[in-house]
Amino acid sequence: MSAVSAAAPGAGGLVDEVFGPPPPQLPPSGPASGGAPVPGEQAPIPIIPGVSRGDRVFRAVFRSAGLSVFVIMGLIALFLATRGAQALRATGWSFLTEQRWQTATHRFGVGAVLLDGIIIALIALVIAVPVALCAAVYIAEYAPAGLRRLLISLIDLMAAVPSIVYGLWGLIFLTPRVIGFEAWLSSHLGGVLPFLKVRNEQVAASFTQSAFIAGVVVALMVIPIICSLSREVFSQAPTGEREGAYALGSTRWGMVRTVVLPFGKGGVIGAVMLGFGRAMGETIAVALIISPVFAISTHPLQAGGNSISALIALRYGESDKLALSALMAAGLVLFLITLLVNMAAAAVISRSRSGAATNE
C-alpha cells in the first residue's frame, strides 16, 4: 500500500512532463454564478444584425400602411359625427328610440329602421349559414380536386356580383314566386308562431315588399363570405389529428365531425358575425325590394319595413340641412354597430384554435 502511494506522485509528474501541467481551476463567472468575468476568459459576443436602409424603408412603408387603416376609420367616424352633430343635438338619446322620421317637427330617429335592419339580417343568416357551412364542408373535404377549383371560383364570382343585380333579381324574379310560400307559412304556421301571421293574407299584395323577401336576397349575398371563410378554416385542420381519427377507425364524416368542425368552430362563428355585419349594411338590394315604413314591425312576412342603409339611399337626394344631418347620424349608428360586430368577430377568431393557427 505504501509502495503504491509512493509511486503516485511519480506517475503524476510523468503525466505533467508529457502533457503539460493542467490549467488552473477558475472560479465560475457570469450572471448565474454572480462572479465577475476573469481577464482573458472568452465571453460570448452578442450578434446584433445590422438594419440596412432598404429594411428601414420597408418597415416604414408597411407600418404606415397598417396605421392608415386606423386613420381612415377614425376619419370616417369623425366625419359622420361632425355632420350628424346637429341632428343629435336636436333629438338627444331619443334618436335611438324614435320611430318616426319627421325632420320638419324634430321628431325623427332610427328606432324602427334599426330593428327592421336587424330582422332582415337575422333572416339572411338563418338561410345563409346552413347553406354556406354545408357548401364549405363539401368543398374542403368531399369535392374532387377539379370540382373543388370550379366551386371555389363560383363562390368568388358570387361575391363579385354587384348588389344591384341581386336586387333586380329579387324584385323581378323572386317576389312573384315566393308569395305562395309566404302565404303557406302564414296560414299553416301563423297560429303556432304569431310573428308569421299576416293581416289580409288573402290579398297577395300583403306579402310583397316584405322583410322576408329582402332577407332571402341578402342571404345570397352573405353566403359567399361565410362559405369562403369557413372553407379556409376547415382546410387548416391539423393533418395529424385527421390521420389519427382515420387510424382509430373513423369514417370521413366521423373525422369531419370530431376533428374539422371542432377545430373550425371559432372561425365559423367569426365568419357568421362578419356576414351579419355585411347584411346590416346592405343598401341597394334592400332599397329596391322593401316598402319603406317607419314603424316597428315584428311580422317579417308582412309588406313594409326599412333599414338604416336603405333609408339613407332613399332619402339622401331630397333632404334639407337638418334631414341630411339626421341621415349622417343614422350612418354613424350603423357604422358603430358594424364596427362592434367586426371587432367581436375578430376577437372570437383570434381566441380559437383556427385563429391561432392562422396568425402563426
Side-chain angles (χ1 to χ4, degrees):
M1 193 69 173
S2 60
V4 176
S5 302
L14 179 61
V15 172
D16 293 342
E17 290 179 2
V18 176
F19 297 100
Q25 297 294 328
L26 299 177
S29 61
S33 60
V38 178
E41 182 183 4
Q42 293 183 354
I45 301 175
I47 300 176
I48 303 176
V51 180
S52 64
R53 182 178 180 182
D55 290 337
R56 288 194 294 268
V57 173
F58 181 84
R59 290 181 181 180
V61 170
F62 279 84
R63 184 179 290 112
S64 301
L67 294 177
S68 64
V69 177
F70 297 97
V71 174
I72 293 173
M73 297 293 289
L75 291 176
I76 293 175
L78 180 62
F79 169 79
L80 294 175
T82 303
R83 293 299 184 90
Q86 180 182 1
L88 294 176
R89 285 195 299 266
T91 58
W93 290 104
S94 63
F95 183 79
L96 299 176
T97 58
E98 179 62 50
Q99 300 182 30
R100 289 169 290 186
W101 193 263
Q102 301 172 0
T103 55
T105 59
H106 288 197
R107 294 182 178 275
F108 54 88
V110 296
V113 294
L114 179 59
L115 182 59
D116 288 343
I118 294 175
I119 291 175
I120 294 174
L122 291 179
I123 293 173
L125 291 183
V126 169
I127 299 173
V129 170
V131 176
L133 292 184
C134 292
V137 171
Y138 176 75
I139 294 173
E141 303 297 332
Y142 291 93
L147 182 59
R148 180 183 297 114
R149 289 191 294 269
L150 176 61
L151 292 176
I152 292 175
S153 300
L154 291 177
I155 292 295
D156 295 338
L157 181 61
M158 286 183 62
V161 174
S163 302
I164 186 67
V165 176
Y166 284 106
L168 291 175
W169 175 82
L171 179 64
I172 299 174
F173 178 83
L174 179 64
T175 299
R177 292 165 174 80
V178 81
I179 290 177
F181 178 68
E182 289 183 299
W184 183 87
L185 290 177
S186 176
S187 60
H188 290 80
L189 300 180
V192 181
L193 303 174
F195 65 91
L196 295 179
K197 193 66 177 178
V198 175
R199 298 186 301 272
N200 300 324
E201 58 184 15
Q202 293 78 16
V203 181
S206 301
F207 300 95
T208 60
Q209 299 179 328
S210 62
F212 177 78
I213 300 177
V216 173
V217 175
V218 174
L220 295 180
M221 306 172 69
V222 172
I223 285 175
I225 298 175
I226 301 177
C227 182
S228 297
L229 294 176
S230 300
R231 179 186 59 81
E232 289 290 339
V233 173
F234 293 155
S235 63
Q236 295 174 2
T239 305
E241 296 185 15
R242 293 171 180 264
E243 295 176 351
Y246 285 134
L248 294 174
S250 176
T251 61
R252 176 171 293 189
W253 166 242
M255 183 274 297
V256 171
R257 182 171 51 86
T258 58
V259 176
V260 176
L261 294 181
F263 175 81
K265 180 175 64 175
V268 169
I269 295 175
V272 172
M273 297 177 73
L274 290 175
F276 176 78
R278 175 69 176 86
M280 283 289 297
E282 178 50 41
T283 304
I284 300 300
V286 177
L288 285 175
I289 294 173
I290 206 164
S291 177
V293 174
F294 292 96
I296 294 179
S297 176
T298 57
H299 299 273
L301 301 180
Q302 184 77 39
N306 213 334
S307 68
I308 294 180
S309 55
L311 169 67
I312 297 173
L314 294 174
R315 294 297 183 98
Y316 185 83
E318 59 185 28
S319 299
D320 55 11
K321 185 177 180 180
L322 180 59
L324 186 60
S325 177
L327 293 178
M328 293 298 175
L332 178 62
V333 173
L334 181 61
F335 175 81
L336 294 177
I337 291 176
T338 53
L339 181 62
L340 292 176
V341 170
N342 292 335
M343 290 176 60
V348 171
I349 293 175
S350 63
R351 290 176 179 270
S352 65
R353 290 183 61 200
S354 52
T358 304
N359 293 333
E360 293 176 0

